[in-house]
Amino acid sequence: MASNEFFNQLINAMNNTLQIIVQDAKNNASWSSTIPDAIGYRPAEESSAGNIMGYITLDNKNYPEAAAFEFGSGLHRKKGSKDTYLIFPKKAGGHLRIDRERWKNYNPPPDKDPLYFTFVEHPGVAARPFLAPAIRKHGKTLRQNIRNSFLSGIQRSFRISREVIEVKI
């Protein structure tokens, strides 16, 4: 059926562009050893309402720092209230270990190495967007690919209809 082929063409166009966006976002985050692994996509498919839906995904469960770097966190966040936040040890009653080298901006630096804390008041991280720039960069490509698939589908449907008419005559 022509409509199924038409939807498949649109889905393929969207998936191809999603792959390009994901690869570009991974390249944008190449400064991180973990964030590129958090970026993926859920392939486009036709929904029950007849829409075509595809998603770029960010695995915040296994890579919670990904969203923090995309949008900034704590005092550096781009949206919401700017504030420090508390970080506690993973194990109750434990301590956070921070090596002296991470305190080099303090004058004088601490005497001990490493330092142990029951909590820290973290100022957050500055935003280093990797996903939004890739989406902005390739949004026009996505629209163009969908447009081309749409026009190609209409042309193909017209040819098929014309061939059917010619055969019947």
Side-chain angles (χ1 to χ4, degrees):
M1 181 187 258
S3 65
N4 284 342
E5 183 179 328
F6 177 68
F7 269 100
N8 287 339
Q9 271 191 288
L10 291 173
I11 288 169
N12 287 338
M14 183 176 271
N15 285 334
N16 290 339
T17 310
L18 288 174
Q19 289 173 359
I20 291 168
I21 292 170
V22 165
Q23 188 55 55
D24 200 38
K26 287 181 180 213
N27 292 341
N28 292 346
S30 63
W31 49 266
S32 168
S33 62
T34 59
I35 292 175
D37 293 335
I39 306 166
Y41 78 101
R42 196 167 80 205
E45 59 186 8
E46 185 178 356
S47 72
S48 58
N51 299 318
I52 296 174
M53 307 295 284
Y55 300 91
I56 295 172
T57 60
L58 193 59
D59 182 355
N60 285 321
K61 181 180 178 189
N62 295 315
Y63 305 94
E65 71 279 11
F69 279 105
E70 179 69 19
F71 303 109
S73 68
L75 297 173
H76 308 282
R77 71 178 346 135
K78 301 233 183 214
K79 293 182 180 180
S81 62
K82 296 182 178 194
D83 201 358
T84 59
Y85 55 94
L86 299 177
I87 298 177
F88 295 95
K90 291 180 182 176
K91 291 183 181 178
H95 291 86
L96 297 167
R97 177 183 182 215
I98 301 178
D99 295 328
R100 185 176 185 210
E101 68 186 39
R102 295 192 56 194
W103 294 80
K104 57 186 162 212
N105 293 338
Y106 291 87
N107 192 8
D111 294 337
K112 298 179 181 177
D113 188 27
L115 298 164
Y116 293 92
F117 298 90
T118 55
F119 71 92
V120 294
E121 193 171 349
H122 199 284
V125 296
R128 290 185 75 175
F130 49 90
L131 191 53
I135 292 169
R136 279 193 299 273
K137 179 179 176 182
H138 298 290
K140 187 175 181 179
T141 303
L142 176 60
R143 287 187 296 279
Q144 187 66 39
N145 287 348
I146 290 172
R147 180 181 168 273
N148 290 345
S149 292
F150 184 78
L151 292 175
S152 174
I154 289 173
Q155 289 171 342
R156 188 175 300 108
S157 295
F158 180 73
R159 278 193 305 270
I160 291 170
S161 298
R162 187 173 167 200
E163 289 169 8
V164 170
I165 292 169
E166 287 175 358
V167 169
K168 288 184 179 180
I169 295 176

